[in-house]
Amino acid sequence: MEHIPVIRLGEFLLVTIQVDIHDRLALKLREDLSTAIVQDQVRGVVIEVSSLETLDTFIARVLSEIAATSKLLGAETVIVGMRPAVALTLVELGMTLDAVKTAADVDRGVDWLRSRRTGREP
Amino acid sequence: MEHIPVIRLGEFLLVTIQVDIHDRLALKLREDLSTAIVQDQVRGVVIEVSSLETLDTFIARVLSEIAATSKLLGAETVIVGMRPAVALTLVELGMTLDAVKTAADVDRGVDWLRSRRTGREP
């Protein structure tokens, strides 16, 4: 069951990460996501990470790369649901994910993506 | 990382099942979902199962029980993204999930839930 689904959610895509991401799965996710962005012509991607109890430099890099790839394809990425402990770890590791937008939950992430389209902050 | 997140999606809840569900995890999910339904006063639950390559009688029973519990709490359940092979297996097992609504994807599941609220089929 090594597969992270990319879910179409109206005009956005949603990915919830629940499993340990290893190298091959990360590549597959980035590929699936890129294909879906182009195919469905979406403008935004929400990545939900509330299941992740730890987030190491590898996953942080994967998320950054997904955001950068999506941006090149015309979609903004927002990471939502990060646990406080995970945020603390990331800061300690010096990875503040500056290039990636974060939000508290999916609803707020979608609000932010909508505001980007209309050019108005929520 | 034994935890299936319950994601608030506007007026509905979304659960994507990506991991093998064992007994304890199923109980935890049913409990989390029930709590969220009551707390957020939602009217509908979407369960996304496109990652499941197999679906045995145990998981089918878990899904039926979740739907029944949600109904008692005032929320409809719709299962989306089932693979054709999984549907075939379920029919062969004689489990046609008659009591549970199914839809092709999350968007259509949400459409159906909305139509239930307005009393109009999509």
Side-chain angles (χ1 to χ4, degrees):
Chain A
M1 224 184 286
E2 288 291 83
H3 168 76
I4 298 175
V6 175
I7 297 171
R8 179 77 196 243
L9 210 71
E11 50 190 334
F12 306 112
L13 295 174
L14 171 68
V15 175
T16 66
I17 296 179
Q18 295 171 27
V19 293
D20 278 317
I21 296 190
H22 49 71
D23 227 357
R24 221 187 44 231
L25 193 61
L27 285 176
K28 177 88 174 65
L29 174 62
R30 206 169 59 166
E31 200 185 298
D32 288 350
L33 204 48
S34 305
T35 308
I37 288 169
V38 173
Q39 219 162 48
D40 298 350
Q41 297 188 310
V42 296
R43 297 300 185 85
V45 177
V46 180
I47 301 181
E48 212 273 347
V49 297
S50 70
S51 290
L52 298 183
E53 282 168 16
T54 55
L55 207 155
D56 57 18
T57 51
F58 172 71
I59 301 184
R61 208 183 63 234
V62 167
L63 293 177
S64 294
E65 284 177 5
I66 284 177
T69 312
S70 303
K71 188 138 196 167
L72 287 174
L73 298 171
E76 302 272 354
T77 302
V78 52
I79 293 174
V80 305
M82 195 181 288
R83 296 186 182 212
V86 168
L88 286 171
T89 313
L90 282 181
V91 170
E92 276 164 16
L93 290 170
M95 305 202 65
T96 45
L97 291 176
D98 286 331
V100 183
K101 171 72 186 173
T102 50
D105 54 34
V106 173
D107 271 353
R108 280 175 231 197
V110 167
D111 281 349
W112 180 78
L113 288 171
R114 289 221 173 93
S115 75
R116 296 284 288 180
R117 296 203 55 189
T118 57
R120 184 174 44 83
E121 285 282 329
Chain B
M1 225 185 286
E2 288 292 81
H3 169 76
I4 298 175
V6 175
I7 297 171
R8 178 77 196 241
L9 211 72
E11 49 190 334
F12 306 111
L13 296 175
L14 171 69
V15 175
T16 67
I17 296 178
Q18 295 170 26
V19 292
D20 278 317
I21 295 190
H22 48 71
D23 226 359
R24 220 186 44 231
L25 193 61
L27 284 177
K28 177 90 172 66
L29 174 62
R30 207 170 57 167
E31 198 184 300
D32 287 351
L33 203 49
S34 305
T35 308
I37 288 170
V38 173
Q39 218 163 48
D40 299 351
Q41 296 189 309
V42 296
R43 297 300 185 87
V45 176
V46 181
I47 301 181
E48 213 273 347
V49 297
S50 70
S51 290
L52 299 182
E53 283 169 16
T54 55
L55 207 154
D56 57 18
T57 51
F58 172 71
I59 301 183
R61 208 183 61 231
V62 166
L63 294 177
S64 294
E65 283 176 3
I66 284 177
T69 312
S70 303
K71 188 138 196 169
L72 286 175
L73 298 171
E76 301 272 355
T77 302
V78 52
I79 293 174
V80 305
M82 195 181 288
R83 296 186 182 212
V86 169
L88 287 172
T89 312
L90 282 182
V91 170
E92 277 165 14
L93 289 171
M95 305 202 65
T96 45
L97 290 176
D98 286 330
V100 183
K101 170 73 186 173
T102 50
D105 54 33
V106 173
D107 270 354
R108 280 174 230 197
V110 167
D111 281 349
W112 181 78
L113 288 172
R114 288 219 174 96
S115 74
R116 296 283 289 180
R117 296 202 55 188
T118 57
R120 185 174 45 82
E121 285 283 328

